[in-house]
């Protein structure tokens, strides 16, 4: 009555009779369709939430950065000028204004950092929804990668030093790959930020080496490491190894899933070696541009 379809499969009984086994296919298919629809709905929802959050966050981050440099604002300058012209010059007022400017600047730096952190999470969510819908596309060009590696290390060095860690870099000569500059940077930022996040003492090292047709980017840390049983899991979406520790460190468990997808879209791979308590080495392997061209003719 309610559109039930039965699938009949033939089977033999132990005594050799052929019987028909009927399964309610409609129910199975319906469940599958419902699961797919739910999955799509979730992706849509994530996408909408991320878009909604991104706009106000961009505003907060922008305004905070504006305030952080408050002494450069025209209002602040005219205040300072007015004070200078006031007779007699009141040292106490000048000190109060300077201290107020410093206060505004410190508070804004805090707001800016938090907004930037949230923006990174939102960007990860947006990237993930692009991956889930198969809409993440690369803008490939032939690029030299060792300068790019150095830039990422220099950008992240203050974060490492703030935790008392050293961040070093080595390479064995200029190397060219067919890559999307922004996305390649994103992979390296992600690996090095993770290394900083999960290391309490020691050193983080990025090396770029050429091995035959390959360029190998290795990010090695002396951090907490990952148990053998968890090695596969870290690349899965929303997965964090030790729930308690990762929650302490924050994050959505999307960074490595996105990084791996980006590596694959580049025709490369992301792999991991780790020992619990000793540290981890993540390796991104890309094909050298020369070799990639030879291969495609
Ligand atoms: P998140 O942003 O939540 O950290 P990721 O996908 O970047 O998500 O990482 C997933 C999990 O992999 C982390 O929560 C952590 O448990 C583990 N992990 C990633 N990088 C490292 C590392 N360098 N050392 C130890 N564990 C790591």
């Amino acid at each position: 009555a309610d559109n039930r379809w039965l699938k009949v499969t033939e089977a033999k009984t132990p005594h050799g009779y052929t019987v028909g086994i009927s399964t309610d296919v409609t129910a199975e298919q319906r469940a599958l369709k419902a699961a797919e629809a739910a999955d799509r709905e979730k992706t849509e929802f994530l996408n909408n939430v991320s878009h909604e959050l991104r706009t106000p966050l961009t505003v907060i981050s922008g305004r905070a950065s504006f305030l952080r440099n408050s002494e450069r604002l025209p209002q602040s300058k005219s205040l300072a000028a007015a004070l200078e012209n006031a007779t007699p010059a009141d040292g106490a007022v000048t000190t109060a204004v300077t201290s107020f400017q410093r206060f505004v600047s410190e508070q804004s730096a805090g707001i800016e950092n938090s907004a930037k952190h949230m923006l990174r999470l939102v960007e990860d969510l947006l990237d993930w929804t692009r991956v889930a819908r198969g809409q993440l596309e690369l803008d490939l060009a032939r690029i030299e990668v060792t300068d790019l590696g150095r830039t990422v290390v220099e950008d992240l060095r203050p974060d490492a030093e703030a935790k008392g860690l050293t961040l070093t870099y080595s390479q064995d000569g200029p190397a060219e790959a067919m890559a999307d500059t922004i996305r390649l940077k994103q992979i390296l930022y992600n690996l090095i930020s993770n290394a900083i996040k999960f290391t309490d003492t020691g050193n983080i090292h990025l090396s770029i080496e050429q091995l035959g047709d390959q360029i190998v980017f290795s990010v090695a840390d002396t951090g907490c490491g990952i148990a053998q049983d968890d090695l596969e899991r870290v690349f899965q979406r929303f997965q964090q190894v030790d729930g308690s520790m990762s929650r302490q460190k924050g994050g959505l468990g999307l960074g490595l899933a996105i990084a791996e997808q980006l590596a694959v879209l580049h025709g490369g791979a992301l792999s991991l070696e780790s020992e619990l308590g000793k540290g981890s080495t993540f390796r991104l392997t890309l094909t050298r541009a020369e070799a990639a061209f030879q291969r495609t003719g």
Side-chain angles (χ1 to χ4, degrees), residues 203-221:
N203 181 44
I204 292 148
H205 185 75
L206 168 68
S207 75
I208 303 182
E209 291 165 306
Q210 297 175 68
L211 290 174
D213 285 353
Q214 311 286 339
I215 305 173
V216 184
F217 302 74
S218 310
V219 177
D221 68 49

Side-chain angles (χ1 to χ4, degrees), residues 50-79:
S50 316
H51 272 292
E52 286 301 313
L53 289 173
R54 184 160 64 169
T55 313
L57 281 173
T58 311
V59 175
I60 294 173
S61 157
R63 301 243 165 157
S65 127
F66 198 50
L67 283 178
R68 186 159 48 80
N69 301 305
S70 64
E71 74 284 354
R72 284 194 230 139
L73 296 179
Q75 290 87 341
S76 199
K77 279 188 182 149
S78 52
L79 184 59

Side-chain angles (χ1 to χ4, degrees), residues 153-154 156-167 196 204:
V153 163
E154 275 161 20
L156 287 174
R157 185 166 287 131
D159 292 359
E161 284 173 354
K163 278 189 80 178
L165 304 169
T166 52
L167 174 55
I196 296 171
I204 292 148

Side-chain angles (χ1 to χ4, degrees), residues 190 194-195 197-198 221 224-226 234 239-242 245-246 250-257 280 282:
N190 182 271
N194 271 350
K197 186 162 140 188
F198 295 102
D221 68 49
C224 64
I226 298 165
V234 299
Q239 291 291 331
Q240 297 176 320
V241 173
D242 170 20
M245 184 187 70
S246 301
L252 293 172
L254 283 176
L256 285 175
S280 314
F282 284 80

Side-chain angles (χ1 to χ4, degrees), residues 37-54 121-133 237-238 252-254 258:
D39 221 47
R40 262 200 308 277
E41 208 170 285
K42 257 186 270 172
T43 307
E44 282 311 302
F45 177 71
L46 274 185
N47 190 53
N48 292 345
V49 170
S50 316
H51 272 292
E52 286 301 313
L53 289 173
R54 184 160 64 169
L121 296 179
V122 168
E123 293 297 346
D124 271 2
L125 281 172
L126 281 173
D127 278 345
W128 181 256
T129 58
R130 285 186 195 114
V131 167
R133 300 150 134 194
R237 62 181 180 165
F238 309 128
L252 293 172
L254 283 176
I258 294 167

